Amino acid sequence: MVKKLSSMLVLALTTGVLSVGCTQNGNVKENTITSAQLLSNINSRKAIAMSIDREEFTKIILNDGSIGSSNFVPTNLAYNKDGNDYRDLVGDQGLNYDLEKAKEYWQKSKEELDFDNVTIEILTNDVEMNKRISEYLQNALESNLDGLTVKLKQVPQKQKSQLSSEGEYDLQICKWGADYPDPLTFLDTYTPEGVFANNTNYDNKIFNEELNKAKQSTDIDEAFSYYAKAEKALLDDAVCIPLYQESLAYLQREEISNLIYNNYGARTTYKWAKIKDKETLNVAVQTDIQALDSSKVEDTVAFDVINATMEGLVRVDENDKVVPGMAKDWSVSEDGLVWTFNLRKDQKWSNGASVTANDFEFAIKRTLNPETASEYAFIMYDIKGAKEFNKSESTDSYTVGVKALDDYTLEITLNKPINYFDKLVSFPVFFPQNEEFVTKMGESYGTSKDTTLYNGPFVLTKWKTEDQFTMEKNPNYWDNKEVNLSTINAKVVKDVQAGVSLFEAGEIDIVQINSEYVDKFKDSKDFKLFPNAATIFLTTNQDRK
């Protein structure tokens, strides 16, 4: 049975109004502090983390199969050689919901910081679900922590990314999906150079030391033990406050088959998708493409489009098996450090130029170049010399272990053996770029359909900002015979109700839904659930200036 909301929280969700920080005679207390002062205090952060009832939240607000979680690394992602899940092996490590302890931590922070009232802001994008999540958090935190006022700032994704990169937030709702099947893909984001730490100066000695031990280990079980200690240190600091592991509830026509949803890397693979008696697939997306420069993209939609219109060395199929892409085959040295990829000689870019090993070398080194300011450069740090070049400790790109031995042979040298490296290079950040074209386009590269080159199953033929885009089958793609769809039309639909209406009218074939529609469609043949290896969480700016 679904647990009922408390009467106070029901009233809050209904009216959107809560009285906080008042004296008995109704006057607001004047002893206040700034949000920066509040979040610099570990007891304040722990109080916030432990005052959120994730079970109640996922059942009432989401109702889509998502699992409330206080852990950062999700289930169904990383396994040891015996097939045991990292999450099962190390157990629950986060700060779980405990209202009594939350209030104790909150009182401690009040005594340490000497305040009665404080206001903080939650930053999120303008997707409807995130609005509902932030409103729940607002009311829960204000109900549970006396004297706390929570304001919401909901902006378009591009603006949110900008504010995030500049550290202009108190709390922000974030989602992190796996780029490769290892706990490091999550934990690395909070290293000093990671995307969630480099603008907040988060730096925990124990976290960094344990993570470095894991990176240097060549034994999976040993690495898992180090990862566990690092994750616990991170969660104990409450700068990362996990909310839930995402499950996607969506409607998809029963006639659609072979459309792959991935647990890591780009979320969707359209290459093998088909729809009975049709060659056109119409989908709804929640946000527009932010950019198509594989060195700079950060959002799910862009990664999906890049994965459809471009191709890297390999792909991952529906059975999580690595299959050839631009590389027809590859080999690994006996010590596991040198990977050699043999490329196809018949593949062309959409402008007619050949796809060569030089395109991969250029793309990887461009991503690592500190002038590019790529948010994803850190996932290449297992490549010899990559971190040093990216951190400007070396200014010579030739020290990076990526080399085109000839036009169709690429050699990549690692710092240590990485058993999942072939899966890692299926991620779009490792995709090739044509140096001559990128140089010619300059800052406009990847900002429109005409300033981007394609070498994948599809080509982007239309792109109307914040409205819709179209991908069409690439006749020059090497594996063209395996591509069943002729056209994929994507419509930007931020409102779930509007998306459902379009689905029911037959105008779109796939749309993500929220809890309001789960009960309505759960018995439909078109209703689907995908347990994604992605965590939705609050990240706190404990060092806001």
Coordinates of all heavy atoms in Angstrom, one line a residue, residues 279-281 305 308-310 350 449 454 456-462 469-477 480 483-490:
E279 N 8.7 3.1 -42.0 CA 10.1 3.4 -42.0 C 10.4 4.7 -41.3 O 11.6 5.1 -41.2 CB 10.6 3.4 -43.5 CG 10.6 2.1 -44.2 CD 11.3 2.2 -45.5 OE1 11.7 3.3 -46.0 OE2 11.4 1.1 -46.2
T280 N 9.3 5.3 -40.8 CA 9.5 6.6 -40.1 C 9.1 6.4 -38.6 O 8.1 5.9 -38.3 CB 8.6 7.7 -40.7 OG1 9.0 7.9 -42.0 CG2 8.8 9.0 -39.9
L281 N 10.0 6.9 -37.7 CA 9.8 6.8 -36.3 C 9.7 8.2 -35.8 O 10.5 9.1 -36.0 CB 11.0 6.1 -35.6 CG 10.9 5.9 -34.1 CD1 9.8 5.0 -33.7 CD2 12.3 5.4 -33.5
V305 N 21.7 11.8 -30.2 CA 21.8 12.2 -31.6 C 23.2 11.9 -32.2 O 23.3 11.4 -33.3 CB 21.4 13.7 -31.8 CG1 21.6 14.2 -33.2 CG2 20.0 13.9 -31.3
A308 N 23.5 8.4 -33.0 CA 22.7 8.0 -34.2 C 23.4 8.5 -35.5 O 23.3 7.8 -36.5 CB 21.3 8.5 -34.1
T309 N 24.0 9.7 -35.5 CA 24.5 10.3 -36.7 C 26.0 10.1 -36.9 O 26.5 10.5 -37.9 CB 24.1 11.8 -36.7 OG1 24.8 12.4 -35.6 CG2 22.6 12.0 -36.7
M310 N 26.7 9.6 -35.9 CA 28.1 9.4 -35.9 C 28.4 8.0 -35.4 O 27.6 7.4 -34.8 CB 28.9 10.5 -35.2 CG 28.5 11.9 -35.6 SD 29.3 13.2 -34.6 CE 28.2 14.6 -35.0
S350 N 30.1 12.8 -44.2 CA 29.0 13.3 -45.1 C 29.5 14.3 -46.1 O 28.7 14.6 -47.1 CB 27.9 13.9 -44.2 OG 28.4 14.8 -43.3
K449 N 23.0 21.9 -38.1 CA 23.1 20.7 -38.9 C 24.2 20.8 -40.0 O 24.8 19.8 -40.5 CB 21.8 20.3 -39.6 CG 21.3 21.3 -40.6 CD 20.0 20.9 -41.2 CE 19.5 21.8 -42.3 NZ 20.4 21.8 -43.5
Y454 N 28.9 14.0 -40.4 CA 28.3 12.7 -40.0 C 29.0 11.5 -40.6 O 29.3 11.5 -41.8 CB 26.8 12.7 -40.3 CG 26.1 14.0 -39.9 CD1 25.9 15.0 -40.8 CD2 25.8 14.3 -38.5 CE1 25.3 16.2 -40.4 CE2 25.2 15.5 -38.2 CZ 24.9 16.4 -39.1 OH 24.4 17.6 -38.7
G456 N 27.7 8.2 -39.3 CA 26.9 7.2 -38.7 C 25.8 6.7 -39.5 O 25.6 7.0 -40.7
P457 N 24.9 5.9 -38.9 CA 23.7 5.3 -39.5 C 22.8 6.4 -40.1 O 22.1 6.1 -41.1 CB 23.0 4.5 -38.5 CG 24.1 4.3 -37.4 CD 25.0 5.5 -37.5
F458 N 22.7 7.6 -39.5 CA 21.8 8.6 -39.9 C 22.5 9.9 -40.1 O 23.7 10.1 -39.6 CB 20.6 8.8 -38.9 CG 19.8 7.5 -38.7 CD1 20.2 6.6 -37.7 CD2 18.7 7.3 -39.5 CE1 19.4 5.5 -37.5 CE2 18.0 6.1 -39.3 CZ 18.3 5.2 -38.3
V459 N 21.8 10.9 -40.7 CA 22.4 12.2 -40.9 C 21.3 13.2 -40.5 O 20.1 13.0 -40.7 CB 22.7 12.5 -42.4 CG1 23.1 13.9 -42.7 CG2 23.8 11.5 -42.9
L460 N 21.7 14.2 -39.7 CA 20.8 15.2 -39.2 C 20.5 16.1 -40.4 O 21.3 16.8 -41.0 CB 21.4 16.0 -38.1 CG 20.5 17.0 -37.4 CD1 19.4 16.3 -36.6 CD2 21.3 17.9 -36.4
T461 N 19.2 16.2 -40.8 CA 18.8 16.9 -42.0 C 18.0 18.2 -41.7 O 17.9 19.1 -42.5 CB 18.0 16.1 -43.0 OG1 16.8 15.5 -42.3 CG2 18.8 15.0 -43.5
K462 N 17.4 18.2 -40.5 CA 16.6 19.4 -40.0 C 16.8 19.6 -38.6 O 17.0 18.6 -37.8 CB 15.1 19.2 -40.3 CG 14.7 19.1 -41.8 CD 13.2 18.8 -41.9 CE 12.8 18.6 -43.3 NZ 11.3 18.3 -43.5
F469 N 13.7 18.2 -34.7 CA 14.8 17.9 -35.5 C 14.5 16.6 -36.2 O 13.7 15.8 -35.7 CB 16.2 17.9 -34.8 CG 16.2 17.0 -33.6 CD1 16.6 15.7 -33.7 CD2 15.9 17.5 -32.3 CE1 16.7 14.8 -32.6 CE2 16.0 16.6 -31.2 CZ 16.4 15.3 -31.4
T470 N 15.2 16.3 -37.3 CA 15.0 15.1 -38.1 C 16.3 14.5 -38.5 O 17.3 15.2 -38.9 CB 14.2 15.5 -39.4 OG1 12.9 16.0 -39.1 CG2 14.0 14.3 -40.3
M471 N 16.4 13.2 -38.4 CA 17.5 12.4 -38.9 C 17.1 11.4 -40.0 O 16.0 10.8 -39.8 CB 18.1 11.6 -37.7 CG 18.7 12.5 -36.6 SD 19.3 11.5 -35.2 CE 17.8 11.0 -34.4
E472 N 17.8 11.4 -41.0 CA 17.5 10.5 -42.1 C 18.6 9.5 -42.4 O 19.8 9.7 -42.1 CB 17.2 11.3 -43.4 CG 16.0 12.2 -43.3 CD 15.7 13.0 -44.6 OE1 16.5 12.8 -45.6 OE2 14.8 13.8 -44.6
K473 N 18.3 8.3 -42.9 CA 19.2 7.2 -43.1 C 20.4 7.7 -44.0 O 20.2 8.4 -45.0 CB 18.5 6.1 -43.8 CG 19.3 4.8 -44.0 CD 18.4 3.7 -44.6 CE 19.2 2.4 -44.8 NZ 18.3 1.3 -45.3
N474 N 21.6 7.3 -43.6 CA 22.8 7.7 -44.3 C 23.1 6.7 -45.4 O 23.5 5.5 -45.0 CB 24.0 7.8 -43.3 CG 25.3 8.2 -43.9 OD1 25.4 8.4 -45.1 ND2 26.3 8.3 -43.1
P475 N 23.0 7.0 -46.6 CA 23.2 6.0 -47.7 C 24.6 5.6 -47.8 O 24.9 4.5 -48.4 CB 22.7 6.7 -49.0 CG 22.9 8.2 -48.6 CD 22.6 8.3 -47.2
N476 N 25.6 6.3 -47.2 CA 27.0 6.0 -47.4 C 27.6 5.3 -46.1 O 28.8 5.0 -46.1 CB 27.8 7.3 -47.6 CG 27.4 8.0 -48.9 OD1 27.2 7.3 -49.9 ND2 27.2 9.3 -48.8
Y477 N 26.7 5.0 -45.2 CA 27.1 4.3 -44.0 C 27.5 2.9 -44.3 O 26.9 2.2 -45.1 CB 26.0 4.3 -42.9 CG 26.3 3.6 -41.7 CD1 27.4 3.9 -40.9 CD2 25.5 2.5 -41.2 CE1 27.6 3.2 -39.7 CE2 25.7 1.8 -40.1 CZ 26.8 2.2 -39.3 OH 27.0 1.5 -38.1
N480 N 24.9 0.0 -43.9 CA 23.6 0.6 -44.3 C 22.5 -0.5 -44.4 O 21.3 -0.2 -44.0 CB 23.7 1.3 -45.6 CG 22.5 2.0 -46.1 OD1 21.7 1.3 -46.8 ND2 22.3 3.2 -45.7
V483 N 20.4 -0.9 -41.3 CA 19.6 0.2 -40.8 C 18.2 0.1 -41.4 O 18.0 0.2 -42.6 CB 20.2 1.6 -41.2 CG1 19.4 2.7 -40.7 CG2 21.6 1.6 -40.6
N484 N 17.2 0.0 -40.6 CA 15.8 -0.3 -41.1 C 15.0 1.0 -41.3 O 14.1 1.1 -42.1 CB 15.1 -1.2 -40.1 CG 15.8 -2.5 -39.9 OD1 15.9 -3.3 -40.8 ND2 16.3 -2.7 -38.7
L485 N 15.2 2.0 -40.5 CA 14.4 3.2 -40.5 C 15.0 4.2 -41.6 O 16.2 4.3 -41.7 CB 14.4 4.0 -39.2 CG 13.8 3.2 -38.0 CD1 14.1 4.0 -36.7 CD2 12.3 3.0 -38.2
S486 N 14.1 4.9 -42.2 CA 14.5 5.9 -43.2 C 14.6 7.3 -42.6 O 15.4 8.1 -43.0 CB 13.6 5.9 -44.4 OG 12.3 6.3 -44.0
T487 N 13.7 7.5 -41.6 CA 13.6 8.8 -41.0 C 13.2 8.7 -39.5 O 12.4 7.8 -39.1 CB 12.5 9.6 -41.7 OG1 12.7 9.6 -43.1 CG2 12.5 11.1 -41.1
I488 N 13.9 9.6 -38.7 CA 13.5 9.7 -37.3 C 13.2 11.2 -37.0 O 14.0 12.0 -37.2 CB 14.7 9.3 -36.3 CG1 15.1 7.8 -36.6 CG2 14.3 9.5 -34.9 CD1 16.3 7.4 -35.9
N489 N 12.0 11.4 -36.7 CA 11.5 12.8 -36.4 C 11.4 12.9 -34.8 O 10.8 12.1 -34.2 CB 10.2 13.1 -37.0 CG 10.2 13.1 -38.5 OD1 11.1 13.7 -39.1 ND2 9.2 12.4 -39.1
A490 N 12.1 14.0 -34.3 CA 12.0 14.2 -32.9 C 11.4 15.6 -32.6 O 11.7 16.6 -33.2 CB 13.4 14.2 -32.3

